[in-house]
Amino acid sequence: EKGIDLVILQEDRRLNEQQPFNSGVMLIRKDSPFLKEWDYLCKTQNGCVVGDQDILTTMILKGKIPFKELPIFFNWLMGLG
């Protein structure tokens, strides 16, 4: 979709109140400008945060990335039935 750089899903809301975005299941426009910034922040904040997913979630919540959400179906957990 035009203007969308990222398609991503949130962690299952039944398991985590913070609802971070899942960096393991996503689609990224290959020429997206946010990708270079995310790479830079992951390298420079290594050791300051838990991981890349936390940095990505912060970027999304700050409105730095035009995105859409995937349904949880694409990362369904076996323990949920």
Side-chain angles (χ1 to χ4, degrees):
E1 186 173 315
K2 192 173 185 172
I4 300 297
D5 289 346
L6 174 67
V7 180
I8 194 167
L9 58 86
Q10 287 186 318
E11 293 290 344
D12 194 300
R13 295 175 183 169
R14 292 170 284 183
L15 301 177
N16 187 334
E17 288 185 30
Q18 290 182 327
Q19 303 169 8
F21 288 89
N22 185 320
S23 64
V25 181
M26 59 186 184
L27 303 164
I28 303 171
R29 186 179 309 276
K30 71 178 181 177
D31 58 350
S32 173
F34 100 85
L35 195 52
K36 285 185 180 180
E37 182 180 358
W38 184 35
D39 175 59
Y40 172 78
L41 291 172
C42 286
K43 290 175 181 172
T44 59
Q45 293 184 14
N46 186 17
C48 299
V49 295
V50 176
D52 65 291
Q53 184 165 290
D54 301 292
I55 293 170
L56 183 61
T57 295
T58 299
M59 291 174 74
I60 291 170
L61 294 177
K62 286 183 176 180
K64 292 188 170 193
I65 306 168
F67 76 100
K68 282 196 159 196
E69 283 190 53
L70 281 170
I72 194 66
F73 168 82
F74 291 100
N75 194 36
W76 194 257
L77 301 174
M78 294 290 291
L80 297 175

